[in-house]
Amino acid sequence: MQNVEQLIFENETLIKKVIYKLKIYRDLDEYMQVGRIALWQALQKFDDTKGDFTMFAYMTVKYAIIRSLSKANHVSEHELAVEEDVIIINSRQHNLVVSSLEWPEWFEELNEDEQFLLIALYEKELSLKEIADKYKLSYETIKKRRQRLLSKLRGLLK
């Protein structure tokens, strides 16, 4: 354990260098931790017969941070920036759909079904199948509505 801690301490600059070269300026602590874990994994996987540890560690840290960035980017593409307030969607058809978020202005431009679908998919995190089963609609109908909703949102957000 002392060996791992010493290795991480000695290679903090390597991790910082990778973060700097990838031009990461937010969540530095998170990416430092990803780098430390990658460094530990590099120590576990390193084979002396295949070359220099420093280069192996550098590449392992770099690709671990890139994977982490990719995952964070994927998540942020599916998140909506909203504030935590309460808004209730009034709808007879979807009487139990209550949003705990305050949506942006463009949300009001959506019809009730589109608002319901947006809340069910991205706030309540229901799958298309769950939505179809709950409201006795076919899976294909919900899938097509989602496609139309995403197209409409792309148009509204341009």
Side-chain angles (χ1 to χ4, degrees), residues 53-108:
F53 176 74
T54 306
M55 189 53 147
F56 180 75
Y58 179 84
M59 297 307 285
T60 304
V61 168
K62 180 179 177 181
Y63 289 111
I65 292 175
I66 288 172
R67 277 192 309 274
S68 182
L69 278 170
S70 177
K71 287 178 186 176
N73 188 33
H74 179 71
V75 168
S76 67
E77 286 176 359
H78 299 292
E79 289 179 347
L80 296 172
V82 293
E83 296 179 19
E84 290 189 31
D85 283 329
V86 176
I87 183 171
I88 298 174
I89 307 300
N90 293 324
S91 172
R92 292 185 186 108
Q93 181 183 0
H94 314 297
N95 58 354
L96 296 177
V97 177
V98 177
S99 176
S100 61
L101 302 171
E102 182 178 319
W103 293 85
E105 311 82 52
W106 53 258
F107 186 77
E108 297 302 321

